[in-house]
């Protein structure tokens, strides 16, 4: 898989949050997907959908500051605008197994 392909998969992942289309993210995540963030240190796919996916309804848009492919990973820094106008910046490391996202690590940034 090329860097462009993984970068597009990363964009598709965030696009699912913008559109609220759960079927897109369902297709992108591996069965053994794991999610890491300070409040969620190592939750599985089912917990991710329970705890994180509801945020899709509050996401207006992502503006990408960086999208960098490094082996099986894509490093993404974005500025997110929520539907209420609140904005913040985060960096995430997305790890792929083929064309499936198998791990996401979120590093919280700051409010904009």
């Amino acid at each position: 898989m090329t860097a462009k392909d993984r970068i597009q998969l990363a964009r598709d992942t965030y696009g699912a949050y913008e559109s609220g289309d759960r079927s897109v993210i369902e297709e992108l995540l591996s069965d053994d997907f794991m999610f890491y963030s300070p409040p969620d240190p190592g939750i599985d796919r089912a917990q991710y959908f329970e705890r994180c996916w509801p945020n899709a309804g509050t996401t207006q848009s992502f503006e990408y500051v960086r999208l960098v492919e490094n082996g099986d990973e894509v490093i993404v820094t974005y500025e997110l605008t929520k539907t209420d106008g609140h904005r913040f910046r985060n960096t995430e490391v997305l790890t792929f197994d083929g064309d499936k996202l198998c791990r996401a690590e979120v590093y919280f940034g700051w409010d904009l």
Side-chain angles (χ1 to χ4, degrees), residues 37-90:
S37 73
D40 301 302
I43 61 175
D44 65 15
R45 181 184 165 111
Q47 292 171 314
Y48 168 81
F49 279 113
E50 182 180 305
R51 295 178 62 148
C52 303
W53 180 251
N55 291 317
T58 66
T59 301
Q60 179 178 319
S61 65
F62 290 90
E63 181 180 331
Y64 302 106
V65 176
R66 73 180 54 84
L67 287 158
V68 179
E69 189 264 346
N70 180 36
D72 291 335
E73 297 177 336
V74 176
I75 301 158
V76 183
T77 301
Y78 58 79
E79 294 178 355
L80 182 142
T81 302
K82 297 180 71 124
T83 54
D84 66 4
H86 178 245
R87 296 182 69 233
F88 61 89
R89 177 184 269 208
N90 283 348

Side-chain angles (χ1 to χ4, degrees), residues 11-25:
R11 286 178 178 271
D12 293 347
T13 300
Y14 297 107
Y17 271 84
E18 291 171 328
S19 70
D21 189 345
R22 183 172 168 157
S23 68
V24 171
I25 198 80

Side-chain angles (χ1 to χ4, degrees), residues 1-13 28 69 74 96 98-100:
M1 181 162 285
T2 67
K4 182 178 178 184
D5 293 336
R6 285 200 180 93
I7 288 172
Q8 186 58 54
L9 290 171
R11 286 178 178 271
D12 293 347
T13 300
L28 289 167
E69 189 264 346
V74 176
F96 291 89
D99 62 352
K100 298 290 185 181

